[in-house]
Structures are given as C-alpha cells and as structure tokens.
C-alpha cells in the first residue's frame, strides 16, 4: 500500500517535469527557426575620402578591398608610371635633339659668313690685281713718303693700316687704340684723341730695313669708298656745315683760295672768311689740273695715299660694307674678342642716295666727265662701277 502511494507520487512528478522540459525546448527552437531572414546584401560603410591628395595611394589598400582589385589597381598604377616615364624620356630626347640642332646651326652660320666674306675678298683682290696690270705705271718706283706717312704701324698684333680720311678712319684709329691697350673700349674716344693723341707710329718714322720687315710680314689692310660720294661728304662736312667750318680753321686755307679763284666778284667778307663756298665752286677746284698736286687728304685720290699696286693689302674693305668687312677681318685675325668696330652711333654719315642725286644732278655732263678723269682710277681699282650719268 505504501509502495503504491510512492510510485504514484513519483510518476506524477516525472510526468510534470517531462512536460516542462518539452515546453521549454519547443518554444526556444520555434523562435530560432521562425525568425525572418534578411536576404538583402549587407551594406558596407562608404570608405572615407582621403583628406589630402598624397593619401590617395595609401587609401587604395585597405582591409575591405578585395585582393584581386588591389592587385589590378597596383598594376594599372605601375603601367601609368611606366608610360609617364617613357613620355618624359622621349620629351628629353627631343629637347636635346633640338638643342643640338640649334647649336649646329649657330656654329654653321659663322662658317657660312666667313666663307662668303672670303669670296668677297678674293674678288676684290682679283679686281685690284687686274687693274694694276692695266696700269703698270702704278707699280713703278719706290714707296713714296706720302704713302709711308699714311701707314699706321700697330706693333702688338703686327698690323699696318693705311688710313684714308672720310672712309671711317676715325673709328679704325679707335679700334687700334684699344688693341694697343691705350683704352679699354672704343666708347668715349673723341675725334681729337683718335686723330692727334692715338699713340701710334707711322711707317715713315722707321728706317728702311724696319719698313721692309713690316711690309713683308705684317697684316695690311685698307678701306675704300665710292669716290664721288667721298668728295661730296668732304664738301658737306668741311664747308657746307658752317659750324664745323668755323671750328676747323685749317680748311679755311682752301676755301679762301677757292673763293678768290672761282667766285665772280667776291666780297671782302668772302675773301676774308672763305665761308659758304658753293658746290659748283668746289667742283671747279677739284677739276682744276693746277690744284691736284695740292689736294688735302680728305679729297686726295685713294691710290695716291695708299699705293695699292705697290703694297699687297691682305684685306680690302669698303665703307659701304664696313660692318661685315670689319667683323670678317677681326675674326680672321682672332681679335674679335678684344674689340669690335664701333657702331653707327660713333659715325657721322653725311650723304644719302637722294642727296647724292641732288648734288650731282646739278652738274653739267662736262664737269662730271672732268671729275671722272680725276677719280677714275679709284673707281677701277676698288671695283666701283662707272656712274650711269656718264
């Protein structure tokens, strides 16, 4: 009886415990399996943009970036860097090639200039030589004192220069003063210094043997100018310019003589001052055979002063091309790094083609022919064509 009551009690307790456990398991598993599943892809937080441009490279690498994408981007960056480098190298090669071409062109230009000038000099030498051959009288005799006095001797660089007034001689004297070391440059050298205080000696001051050595071994040069333009320049500068005339009293000697000999009924003032001689009176004086022996250097024939058929001049320049001729000669003598021929600022041109036509157009054909007879050898020797109006 007691045993039955014990079994009934514990069976009831076991039944209740089993029901409790079953209910607990049921409710817990039902919540898990009935929970709603979210099939949408998980959204990742957008990666923050780099604060500075130089951080962009590091921003490409991160824990949220797939390995394949990272490798591809690195490869693209490497290709871009390689292309940039190749473009840079190509650009550098092109730049070097261009610089090389420019240097070659710059080096070629002086060569072409020097070659062209050498041909010009060769032609001038040919014309001079052929003219001397046609006039053998110009080769006869010794070098006269007149020519010796016109040859400046520059000892330092062994140069002889036959100076001819009205053909840029002031500037060539300036050049030689600089080469001698008297002046640092040609700027500021006045005409008085160039003509009267240049410190240069003349060939006439040397004995015969010293003259021979220098004539045989020194570099000799001469400059010419269109003969008619030169005598017009002398007239306009020394006589037509009254201010210049009054300052340089040396030339009064000639003008007073001209006034007295060629002016009809000159006044006492004319004879006393010699001012304002006319172009026609000047030409009358130049074409007067009796006056030729007393010509001043400023209108004396070039061949009379420099004897080009007795002296072989290494360089024959012309005032009309003085810039090129001077550059060529100084470069040939390797003196262009020491001095250059002065710019036109130091020159005083007095003529133009219009002025030339005006003055010579006033002369009769007879007077023009007389002038030609005086200066024709200078025309021929230095290759100037005979004027069309003759």
């Amino acid at each position: 009886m007691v045993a039955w009551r014990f079994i009934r009690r514990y069976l009831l307790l076991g039944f209740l415990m089993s029901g409790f456990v079953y209910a607990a398991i049921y409710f817990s598993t039902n919540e898990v399996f009935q929970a709603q599943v979210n099939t949408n892809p998980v959204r990742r937080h957008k990666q923050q943009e780099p604060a500075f441009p130089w951080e962009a490279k590091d921003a490409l690498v991160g824990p949220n970036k797939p390995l394949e994408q990272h490798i591809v981007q690195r490869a693209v960056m490497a290709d871009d860097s390689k292309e940039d480098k190749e473009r840079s190298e190509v650009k550098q090669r092109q730049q070097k090639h261009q610089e090389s071409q420019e240097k070659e062109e710059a080096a070629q230009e002086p060569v072409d200039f020097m070659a062209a000038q050498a041909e010009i000099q060769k032609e001038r030498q040919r014309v001079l030589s052929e003219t001397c051959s046609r006039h053998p009288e110009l080769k006869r005799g010794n070098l006269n004192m007149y020519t010796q006095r016109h040859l400046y001797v520059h000892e330092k660089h062994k140069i002889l220069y036959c100076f001819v007034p009205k053909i840029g001689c002031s500037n060539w004297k300036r050049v030689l003063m600089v080469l001698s070391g008297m002046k640092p440059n040609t700027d500021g050298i006045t005409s008085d210094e160039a003509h009267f205080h240049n410190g240069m000696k003349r060939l006439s001051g040397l004995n015969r043997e010293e003259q021979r050595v220098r004539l045989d071994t020194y570099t000799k040069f001469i400059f010419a100018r269109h003969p008619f333009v030169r005598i017009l320049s002398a007239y306009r500068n020394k006589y037509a310019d009254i201010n210049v005339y009054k300052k340089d009293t040396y030339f009064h000697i000639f003008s007073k003589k001209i006034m007295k000999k060629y002016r009809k009924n000159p006044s006492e003032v004319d004879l006393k001052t010699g001012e304002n001689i006319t172009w026609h009176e000047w030409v009358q004086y130049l074409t007067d055979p009796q006056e030729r022996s007393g010509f001043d250097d400023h209108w004396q024939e070039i061949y009379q002063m420099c004897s080009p058929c007795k002296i072989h001049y290494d360089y024959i320049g012309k005032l009309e091309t003085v810039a090129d001729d001077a550059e060529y000669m100084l470069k040939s003598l390797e003196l262009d790094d020491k001095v250059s021929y002065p710019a036109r600022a130091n020159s005083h041109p007095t003529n133009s083609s219009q002025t030339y036509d005006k003055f010579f157009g006033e002369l009769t054909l007879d007077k023009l022919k007389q002038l030609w007879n005086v200066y024709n050898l200078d025309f021929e020797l230095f290759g100037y064509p005979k004027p069309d109006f003759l």
Side-chain angles (χ1 to χ4, degrees), residues 280-293:
H280 290 274
E281 291 168 342
W282 172 247
V283 172
Q284 279 185 284
Y285 159 72
L286 293 177
T287 54
D288 188 339
Q290 296 179 352
E291 299 294 339
R292 288 183 65 178
S293 60

Side-chain angles (χ1 to χ4, degrees), residues 142-207:
N142 296 323
L143 208 60
N144 58 52
M145 183 59 66
Y146 197 37
T147 297
Q148 294 178 30
R149 189 173 64 82
H150 273 266
L151 283 166
Y152 274 125
V153 181
H154 173 70
E155 299 285 9
K156 186 175 182 179
H157 298 98
K158 298 184 177 182
I159 294 173
L160 293 180
Y161 165 51
C162 187
F163 73 93
V164 181
K166 305 309 299 177
I167 308 183
C169 68
S170 301
N171 281 335
W172 278 115
K173 291 175 184 178
R174 292 182 175 101
V175 168
L176 293 175
M177 289 174 71
V178 173
L179 290 176
S180 298
M182 292 186 62
K183 295 286 183 177
N185 53 65
T186 58
D187 298 336
I189 301 179
T190 66
S191 293
D192 283 346
E193 286 181 301
H195 291 305
F196 308 116
H197 307 286
N198 54 45
M200 288 181 283
K201 58 186 177 183
R202 307 188 189 212
L203 192 69
S204 57
L206 305 178
N207 61 45

Side-chain angles (χ1 to χ4, degrees), residues 210-363:
E210 291 172 333
Q211 289 181 2
R212 185 192 65 78
V213 171
R214 284 155 180 78
L215 286 169
D216 289 345
T217 61
Y218 281 24
T219 299
K220 299 167 283 294
F221 76 97
I222 181 177
F223 268 75
R225 185 181 188 181
H226 189 288
F228 282 0
V229 175
R230 177 170 169 254
I231 60 173
L232 175 58
S233 177
Y235 168 74
R236 297 189 70 216
N237 177 242
K238 302 302 180 183
Y239 296 109
D241 189 333
I242 195 64
N243 293 322
V244 174
Y245 175 81
K246 287 181 177 180
K247 292 178 183 178
D248 201 340
T249 57
Y250 164 76
F251 292 98
H252 295 188
I253 300 171
F254 302 96
S255 61
K256 290 177 182 179
K257 179 189 292 187
I258 291 171
M259 196 73 75
K260 183 178 181 180
K261 190 171 184 179
Y262 306 110
R263 178 164 293 187
K264 296 180 179 179
N265 303 318
S267 67
E268 292 184 6
V269 175
D270 292 338
L271 295 173
K272 183 179 180 180
T273 64
E275 292 179 2
N276 299 315
I277 61 170
T278 67
W279 168 243
H280 290 274
E281 291 168 342
W282 172 247
V283 172
Q284 279 185 284
Y285 159 72
L286 293 177
T287 54
D288 188 339
Q290 296 179 352
E291 299 294 339
R292 288 183 65 178
S293 60
F295 275 6
D296 177 73
D297 296 352
H298 288 75
W299 49 88
Q300 177 71 60
E301 303 99 302
I302 301 173
Y303 81 91
Q304 294 276 21
M305 286 181 279
C306 295
S307 303
C309 292
K310 296 178 182 178
I311 298 174
H312 174 74
Y313 288 97
D314 302 284
Y315 298 95
I316 302 171
K318 292 186 177 183
L319 188 64
E320 293 82 1
T321 55
V322 64
D324 287 344
D325 293 341
E327 181 181 355
Y328 171 73
M329 187 184 80
L330 292 173
K331 282 185 176 180
S332 298
L333 298 177
E334 298 182 349
L335 298 174
D336 55 306
D337 60 331
K338 297 177 175 58
V339 68
S340 59
Y341 189 81
R344 295 186 67 84
N346 287 334
S347 302
H348 304 283
T350 53
N351 297 325
S352 65
S353 58
Q354 293 83 0
T355 303
Y356 175 84
D357 292 340
K358 174 183 178 298
F359 277 84
F360 281 89
E362 295 175 357
L363 302 178

